Amino acid sequence: VYDLSLSTDDNPHSGNPGGSLSVGAALMCMIFAMGDISGGLFNPAVTIAYLGRFHGTGCGVGEDKLQDMLTSPKEGVKYFVAQTLGALAGTGLTILIWLASGTYPIAEIGPQPIGTDPTVTHTIGQAFFAETFGTFLYCYVVICVATTFTPLKEYKAFAIGCTFIAGGYAFGPLSGGVLNPAVTIADCVVRAEVFTQFSTPLLFVGGQLLGGVLALWSSGSSRTLMRWRWMGSLRATRDSVLRLGM
């Protein structure tokens, strides 16, 4: 949210050139600090991916935390609400910090400008693509490093933070690199874009949530492929042993 606030009247979408780096670093620190409390998700798209990953397994982040929806159906809703409220709180704090400047500090959600002319922007379709695949990249890495039986405990937050930095710089020029439905919702509520430009925030949130779903599907397909290869290796080994025995 703070990154979105660093805009100017001449270029309302410019933001902070180091925004992705600062946000990714802050995310990494928050995961290190609070990951053992809630899992350190901080993103509804990641929450959806987690819910799908743990569905039918009886597993989850921990007791009284995000769990398999079949065993703990309320926790997912709690996480969604908490993440959105956190984004709203961050937006409000940003406004208070910048209130003395006399300008409204939060840039609107939408396609980013092409070049230096703020009136010429990328299309909403390009922005949708950027948010979808940027969020997919982020959620895929989160699932791969945090939901396995042997997670990268020491490097998990580092890998996730670096992925957000990469996604922000790669897709930021198209859409702003928000990659978080909670931040999108908070920004649009504060700026009242949910009433004036409803289609834009809806497409952004839809793309981000779709990215989480695609990450879940892709990680599941990868695990299935690895399982097939492992079973194929076992069958080949068994056949070799049988031939030697004969």
Side-chain angles (χ1 to χ4, degrees), residues 24 47 216 237 239:
T47 300
L216 170 65
T237 302
D239 294 341

Side-chain angles (χ1 to χ4, degrees), residues 43-87:
N43 189 323
V46 176
T47 300
I48 283 184
Y50 264 58
L51 290 174
R53 173 71 178 87
F54 293 133
H55 182 73
T57 65
C59 300
V61 174
E63 188 177 355
D64 297 326
K65 301 175 185 177
L66 191 67
Q67 294 277 343
D68 178 3
M69 288 287 286
L70 297 178
T71 59
S72 183
K74 296 181 180 180
E75 293 303 318
V77 177
K78 292 179 182 178
Y79 270 64
F80 284 128
V81 173
Q83 290 157 355
T84 304
L85 290 177

Side-chain angles (χ1 to χ4, degrees), residues 16-17 46-47 55 58 67 81 106 130 132 148-149 185-186 192 196 204 207 245:
N16 182 353
V46 176
T47 300
H55 182 73
Q67 294 277 343
V81 173
I106 305 296
T132 299
T148 63
F149 289 107
I185 293 171
T196 60
F204 267 62

Side-chain angles (χ1 to χ4, degrees), residues 217-231:
W217 175 82
S218 182
S219 65
S221 299
S222 299
R223 288 190 177 90
T224 301
L225 180 60
M226 291 178 64
R227 191 178 300 114
W228 286 345
R229 289 179 176 176
W230 180 72
M231 292 176 64

